[in-house]
Amino acid sequence: MPQTMKAAVLHALRTPLAIEQVPIPEPGHGELLIKVTACGVCHSDLHAVDGDWTPPPVIPLIPGHEVAGKVAKAGPGVTGFSAGDDVGVPWMYSSCGQCEFCFAGMETICKSGEATGYTKPGGYAEYMIAPAAFVGRLPAGTDPYAMAPILCAGVTTYRGLKRTGARPGQWVAIVGIGGLGHIAVQYARAMGLRVAAVDVSAEKLELAKSLGAEITVNGADADPVAIIQDTLGGAHAAVVTAVATKAFEQAILMLRPGGTVAYIGLPGGKSDEIRASISAITNWELSIRGSNVGTRLDLNEAVAFAANGLVKATIRTEPLERINAILEDMRQGRIVGRVVLKLA
Ligand code: NAD
Ligand code: ZN
Ligand code: ZN
């Protein structure tokens, strides 16, 4: 086993990642050392690099939280995992397991949680550490490159859709058809929902249509609120993955009376605040719910959809050395589907 590994490291906010050799970490009690095969590039990684959120990430940082790989070594006290097992690492690196939220099966809102590739080193590296209790099990033989985006984009949109309470046959507006949104369209279809897709890019809307969206609206040259109200009488549910304040404001107004919107996107910084109509929310009994990644149960369910072929990320693989150009493409909104880094 080598002593060092290749990793992409952020040394200061808003600077390019450096490709470096760093020591391979040693798994502690209850931890796994994972040989990373694939790591998706999520817009949250770009928010981390750009310092969009408070608090900022722990620096120096190895980003990356859409990891598919294999167990290289189990630390002391680990049971149920062996070297070579297929595993995935999500954003939720850990939660405390002892607070009221963890007890209630709401570990996604544990105040003592750690985040992969934000407060802990992530998967833009050949190896990484993760607590065995929070690692996702992937069925043997799954395509690690197609599976990697399920570890964040998949589980997050799956939970977001569940949190709208939408039932089969109802309409859901997916607002933002990026890495998360194009997967959200597929979960929605697999859950029996009808999809209206909204983005500001014709190419992304083409992808949404090919994945089963019945209605597509380009917010760059049409008013998505008017179109969804006029054609559907409003959507029963909406899920917002766009990185633009306006989309969050519009999504409330896309709902039909009694509808629920799940907020997923996190524009951060100056874009973190919305204006909304109190009377619309009150009179039409609308619900606005936040949705933060997913629990371990959500992850198992989200992986099962993908393993059964119901959901498949549209990906382009790239070497780690290309990461700064990929992040710039994401900043400019040029990525269709998801870019997955090929580590092995
Ligand atoms: P992405 O860059 O791949 O996709 C964003 C999409 O939003 C793009 O397709 C873009 O064209 C579209 N968009 C921009 N402005 C729009 C507008 N006005 N109307 C409609 N669409 C618009 O990003 P991603 O990786 O899919 O991540 C999306 C967001 O979700 C990020 O803010 C990310 O941090 C956040 N996120 C949140 C969670 C969570 O748990 N809540 C988890 C993962 C990611
Ligand atoms: Zn993510
Ligand atoms: Zn907790």
Side-chain angles (χ1 to χ4, degrees):
M1 178 115 173
Q3 300 288 304
T4 64
M5 64 176 186
K6 186 168 65 177
V9 186
L10 179 72
H11 288 283
L13 297 179
R14 292 175 286 278
T15 64
L17 304 188
I19 307 294
E20 296 174 358
Q21 286 292 320
V22 302
I24 295 176
E26 186 64 26
H29 191 87
E31 293 178 342
L32 298 175
L33 177 68
I34 293 160
K35 185 162 195 337
V36 178
T37 310
C39 185
V41 178
C42 178
H43 205 116
S44 298
D45 301 338
L46 180 57
H47 290 306
V49 169
D50 286 349
D52 289 337
W53 298 340
T54 306
V58 174
I59 281 177
L61 176 73
I62 300 174
H65 59 273
E66 274 188 356
V67 179
K70 286 183 181 292
V71 174
K73 186 178 173 185
V78 171
T79 55
F81 284 97
S82 310
D85 285 356
D86 289 287
V87 290
V89 188
W91 172 268
M92 192 175 64
Y93 182 89
S94 64
S95 71
C96 80
Q98 296 170 25
C99 69
E100 64 177 285
F101 309 113
C102 287
F103 283 168
M106 293 290 288
E107 56 199 16
T108 54
I109 52 172
C110 173
K111 289 183 176 176
S112 308
E114 300 278 359
T116 310
Y118 202 81
T119 67
K120 295 285 184 181
Y124 288 11
E126 291 173 311
Y127 291 87
M128 67 176 294
I129 297 281
F134 288 85
V135 158
R137 288 172 190 274
L138 305 181
T142 40
D143 172 354
Y145 306 102
M147 188 57 88
I150 301 302
L151 275 293
C152 180
V155 64
T156 302
T157 55
Y158 174 60
R159 180 177 175 84
L161 285 161
K162 286 209 292 189
R163 283 176 65 73
T164 68
R167 298 192 307 275
Q170 295 188 327
W171 281 97
V172 60
I174 309 288
V175 186
I177 306 292
L180 264 64
H182 89 284
I183 292 178
V185 171
Q186 299 178 58
Y187 278 103
R189 296 295 297 130
M191 292 158 86
L193 304 172
R194 305 182 71 180
V195 173
V198 181
D199 202 287
V200 290
S201 145
E203 213 180 343
K204 292 171 189 180
L205 291 167
E206 274 308 308
L207 176 61
K209 191 174 267 179
S210 74
L211 296 171
E214 291 176 64
I215 294 175
T216 57
V217 186
N218 192 331
D221 48 45
D223 176 5
V225 171
I227 290 177
I228 287 176
Q229 288 298 344
D230 291 351
T231 54
L232 305 179
H236 299 87
V239 166
V240 190
T241 68
V243 191
T245 316
K246 191 176 162 194
F248 292 81
E249 296 176 346
Q250 289 174 330
I252 297 173
L253 301 171
M254 288 175 199
L255 295 173
R256 73 171 64 192
T260 300
V261 57
Y263 277 6
I264 290 178
L266 288 159
K270 292 193 188 79
S271 307
D272 196 47
E273 288 175 13
I274 58 162
R275 282 180 73 84
S277 159
I278 294 167
S279 55
I281 294 167
T282 305
N283 292 341
W284 300 120
E285 297 197 340
L286 305 179
S287 301
I288 303 172
R289 307 190 87 183
S291 197
N292 185 23
V293 291
T295 65
R296 288 171 281 182
L297 184 59
D298 294 324
L299 180 60
N300 284 347
E301 292 174 6
V303 166
F305 275 77
N308 289 325
L310 294 166
V311 170
K312 189 169 189 215
T314 297
I315 60 162
R316 182 179 100 216
T317 57
E318 293 275 8
L320 185 64
E321 287 74 8
R322 287 259 308 140
I323 186 59
N324 292 308
I326 295 161
L327 291 174
E328 186 54 29
D329 278 351
M330 184 172 264
R331 237 178 239 116
Q332 303 298 331
R334 288 194 292 250
I335 295 172
V336 179
R338 195 56 125 196
V339 173
V340 175
L341 300 171
K342 198 169 182 170
L343 277 306

